Every structure is written in C-alpha cells, then in structure tokens.
Amino acid sequence: MTAGELEGRVAIVTGGGAGIGRSIALDLAEHGAKVVVVDRSDPSPVAAEIVAAGGEAIPATADVTSETDLHAAIDAGAATFGGIDVLVNNAGIFASLQQRPFEEIPVEEWRLVFDINVLGSAFAVKAALPSMRARGGGAVVNIASTTAFKGSALPHYSSSKGAILALTKNLARELGGDEIRVNAVAPGFTVSAGVEQHADETATMRANAAGSRALHREMVPNDVVGAVRFLAGPASAFITGQTLVVDGGAYFH
C-alpha cells in the first residue's frame, strides 16, 4: 500500500469483520488510513488481510450495544495509533430478519434492531468524541439505507435507518463547533456476505433489486466504499449533515 488521501488518519470501522464493513476497512487502509476493525465476531482475519497487504490495522472484538466494549475498542485504537480521526458506523442487523406483517413482529425484535442499528451508532460516536476532540476534529460516516426513504417489508429495520438519518443531522449540528463532520451513506440492497448466508430471508428483495435500478445489476459491497472514503476524507471537508444515496439509481435523492 502507498500513501493516499487518508494518510495519517486513524479509522474505526464497526461491523468490519465481514460484508460491507470488511470492504470499507480494506478500502480505507488501501488509501492510507490505519484501521481498527471492530466486530462482535472475530475481526482478526480482516485486520490480518490489511497488514498482509502492507497496511496498518488491529482487530477489536466488541458488541456495539455495549458502551464498555466500544470504549475499550476505541481506547485500543487510540493507544496503538495515537488517536481517532474517522468513525464508520457500519454495524447493523438486517439479513437475518424475517419478513412478516407489521403486527407480527415481536417487541423484542424491535428493541434488538434499534439497540444495534441506532444505539450502537450513538454509543460509538460518544466513545470516539474525546479522541476526535483531542485531534482537533474528525469525520463520522453513518451507514443508513434507502429503505428509510422508500419503506420496506422490514418496518423496524427501515425505521431504525430513518433514525440514523435524524441522528446524522442532529450530531452534525451539535459537533460542528468541534470540527467533527457527521454524514451518512444510504446504500440500496447489497449482496453482502450476510445476504448470501440468509438467502431464504432475502430472496424476494434480491430478486426485485436490480430491476428497480437505473443501472441494472446487483449491488455489491465494493459499490459502497468510494462514498464512505469521500465523506471520511479531505475532499468533503466542508460537507456535514448530508446523506449520499448509493443504489444504482433506484431512488433519486
């Protein structure tokens, strides 16, 4: 790996052990960032993949619903690399969710989705703030979803991603004085490792996705990484509170 647009920056990627998160972590490292790969499952293989390619990375096992876990992960990154500049809130639950009528979704599942998708992002920002402030600023990139604009057969998931859009705007307002930018990327249906592992649950959505787009093909994790890198890097230095839709033209935002 050679010097790139993120040279000297330290990035945390939650949910970085697989799927979209893995692709984001690899891309940020390829463009110069030192990466803390955070995941509930063992993130060591992704960190090792980055190091083998000539980059710098460490793994940090953490459940994003635990403030203690997130503080430990971010503290490890700051101790190893000197601070935190970028936080990518990618961890979420989606592919394993069963499509069913609204009134049949258990309340426990609603709470689980919001705990992971919304509170997990809020907790991660809270944990990263001291280090970002100490570095004189930073960039937060939240991974939302186009379902927040269009709705879906998973109303709790869509609602949680709508909350991410609102959180992005509110944090952008509050943290701008600290030179911390907060933006979001809203992908469309992406054929990630999680989708492949839960083929039955996602079959209908996958079958309909490509035909709904101006660009008629399936979306893959690498389609997301350029937008994330842009919002994490210097080219977006005067952009905050915004959501960038990446879905091949299924939703025009």
Side-chain angles (χ1 to χ4, degrees):
M1 293 183 179
T2 57
E5 62 195 277
L6 298 175
E7 186 71 19
R9 303 199 183 193
V10 181
I12 301 275
V13 181
T14 69
I20 292 174
R22 171 184 171 273
S23 292
I24 291 170
L26 292 173
D27 183 77
L28 296 180
E30 183 179 351
H31 289 84
K34 302 172 184 178
V35 182
V36 184
V37 185
V38 178
D39 206 291
R40 183 177 59 180
S41 301
D42 182 16
S44 298
V46 176
E49 194 174 352
I50 290 170
V51 172
E56 295 185 64
I58 62 169
T61 303
D63 183 336
V64 296
T65 66
S66 166
E67 289 191 87
T68 300
D69 279 9
L70 285 170
H71 278 286
I74 286 170
D75 288 349
T80 302
F81 297 129
I84 302 298
D85 304 290
V86 175
L87 168 65
V88 181
N89 277 317
N90 168 76
I93 182 171
F94 164 66
S96 62
L97 298 173
Q98 178 185 346
Q99 293 185 49
R100 51 188 143 185
F102 166 79
E103 66 271 20
E104 294 179 13
I105 302 173
V107 66
E108 295 80 11
E109 191 167 290
W110 275 91
R111 289 181 175 134
L112 177 65
V113 169
F114 270 75
D115 281 349
I116 296 173
N117 292 359
V118 183
L119 291 180
S121 296
F123 289 164
V125 174
K126 184 178 177 182
L129 276 179
S131 183
M132 286 188 172
R133 283 172 171 150
R135 301 271 275 191
V140 176
V141 183
N142 295 321
I143 304 301
S145 167
T146 54
T147 63
F149 301 109
K150 302 186 297 182
S152 79
L154 299 170
H156 46 350
Y157 175 78
S158 298
S159 298
S160 74
K161 292 304 185 177
I164 287 296
L165 299 182
L167 180 67
T168 297
K169 295 172 185 177
N170 280 276
L171 291 179
R173 288 280 185 196
E174 182 167 341
L175 302 180
D178 293 311
E179 295 299 322
I180 296 172
R181 300 182 297 107
V182 186
N183 293 290
V185 173
F189 181 85
T190 306
V191 182
S192 64
V195 166
E196 298 279 16
Q197 290 164 9
H198 297 90
D200 291 342
E201 292 89 340
T202 59
T204 301
M205 288 182 283
R206 182 172 183 175
N208 294 334
S212 70
R213 296 175 174 140
L215 304 177
H216 300 300
R217 67 164 174 84
E218 289 193 318
M219 182 172 176
V220 296
N222 277 344
D223 290 321
V224 182
V225 301
V228 173
R229 184 183 353 114
F230 167 68
L231 292 174
S236 60
F238 204 56
I239 298 175
T240 193
Q242 306 304 311
T243 297
L244 180 55
V245 171
V246 181
D247 74 345
Y251 179 82
F252 295 155
H253 175 60

